[in-house]
Amino acid sequence: MAVTEQRSEKRVALVTGSTSGIGRTIAMRLAEDSFSVVFHSKSSVAAGQTLAAAYPSSSYFQADLADQNQTCGLISDVLARYGRLDVLVNNAGISAAIPHTSLKEASPEIWRSLYDVNVIAPWTLIAEAETALREAASPERPSCILNISSHAGVRPKGASIPYAVSKAALNHMTKLLALNLAPLIRVNAIAPGLVDTPMSRDWTAAQTLWAERSPMGRGAQPEEIAQLASMIVASHYLTGEIIISDGGLHLT
Ligand code: NAD
């Protein structure tokens, strides 16, 4: 992917799916950490433009990450605007709620749609961004890829088996790429438990579980995941880690 002549002085972070929920708070936090932030969504154009306008040198781009051409185009758009990319946060994701015992309900179409957005889109974005991420990096300050997976990719839990498997694939991709893109590009993942976002609003069983069983006695607020993301982005030696942030539920 060619990089433009006009190279931004400020470091640039792209956060996918950043007009709502976890992605929105991560993008806002990175803007406060002095990055030029690229907000992105599939469809919420007005919300994305409003967010970008609130932070100097930030932008908004629309792309459906289930579409391979639009996914590649997102990286081209970022490089055409800034001439560099330092941080890629693969946050956009979809879920499907299906009882784990209802195997036929988990159709091949559902498997494919979850894989398209949760696995193949992050892979495509990383492949398209690799050259730019290397060019922006130095040994003292490697570039950073951060994947937002799920505790369901670590434990045999989650909204459905296809969702959990897609997040387990993203976790394994994280480790394989950490090994192969080092030392100039670091790759880590956050595996959240329950987080209070539009995606989880009607997950009543999970809300009860976190209230009654997790050591912290509640799910997370998106800002608490954004704080962890900011720490990971700033931790220049950290790579290959899947950091579970589930209020300690995995200990029970
Ligand atoms: P959310 O629904 O607010 O955010 C999901 C984002 O992904 C949205 O901005 C949406 O536009 C984007 N997206 C979905 N399909 C897309 C597509 N085809 N093209 C482009 N963008 C697309 O939910 P959230 O809870 O903030 O989810 C963010 C990430 O966190 C997801 O990957 C999700 O799997 C993960 N996660 C969430 C929870 C939780 O409890 N909320 C728990 C574990 C993991």
Side-chain angles (χ1 to χ4, degrees):
M1 182 57 55
V3 174
T4 69
E5 299 294 309
Q6 302 251 313
R7 191 170 185 270
S8 163
E9 289 299 315
K10 262 175 94 171
R11 286 189 295 157
V12 176
L14 164 62
V15 184
T16 65
S18 46
T19 58
S20 69
I22 296 169
R24 179 172 173 275
T25 56
I26 291 176
M28 291 164 66
R29 178 65 193 238
L30 293 181
E32 285 155 18
D33 290 347
S34 296
F35 283 89
S36 293
V37 170
V38 179
F39 291 87
H40 153 266
S41 69
K42 176 183 169 184
S43 53
S44 314
V45 178
Q49 289 172 340
T50 303
L51 279 163
Y55 296 97
S57 72
S58 289
S59 316
Y60 165 78
F61 292 110
Q62 180 184 15
D64 181 354
L65 300 183
D67 179 312
Q68 179 78 3
N69 288 334
Q70 292 188 39
T71 306
C72 296
L74 177 59
I75 299 297
S76 309
D77 286 344
V78 172
L79 297 181
R81 165 77 173 81
Y82 294 99
R84 67 185 290 170
L85 183 63
D86 302 75
V87 173
L88 167 61
V89 181
N90 284 309
N91 165 79
I94 53 172
S95 183
I98 304 168
H100 288 203
T101 48
S102 302
L103 303 197
K104 287 199 172 153
E105 244 189 90
S107 65
E109 290 71 29
I110 288 174
W111 277 95
R112 288 192 189 99
S113 64
L114 285 164
Y115 258 68
D116 277 345
V117 179
N118 294 356
V119 183
I120 296 170
W123 175 267
T124 303
L125 291 167
I126 292 167
E128 290 294 308
E130 181 191 354
T131 301
L133 288 167
R134 281 192 193 286
E135 287 174 1
S138 65
E140 302 74 36
R141 199 169 67 183
S143 293
C144 174
I145 294 167
L146 175 59
N147 296 323
I148 307 301
S149 69
S150 171
H151 77 110
V154 181
R155 310 170 73 207
K157 300 282 177 194
S160 63
I161 290 180
Y163 175 73
V165 174
S166 75
K167 292 300 191 177
L170 185 59
N171 285 340
H172 205 53
M173 186 198 301
T174 300
K175 292 188 181 184
L176 287 163
L177 288 177
L179 197 56
N180 286 285
L181 297 182
L184 284 181
I185 305 175
R186 301 183 297 111
V187 192
N188 294 286
I190 297 176
L194 178 68
V195 188
D196 181 16
T197 71
M199 183 183 278
S200 63
R201 291 271 142 82
D202 55 358
W203 294 357
T204 46
Q207 286 155 11
T208 306
L209 178 68
W210 257 269
E212 293 179 354
R213 291 264 311 276
S214 75
M216 295 306 288
R218 62 175 177 84
Q221 289 303 312
E223 291 75 13
E224 291 166 325
I225 305 300
Q227 183 189 30
L228 177 57
S230 169
M231 285 167 51
I232 293 169
V233 167
S235 299
H236 298 315
Y237 189 62
L238 189 78
T239 197
E241 297 295 340
I242 313 296
I243 299 174
I244 301 173
S245 180
D246 69 349
L249 187 73
H250 67 282
L251 302 171
T252 66

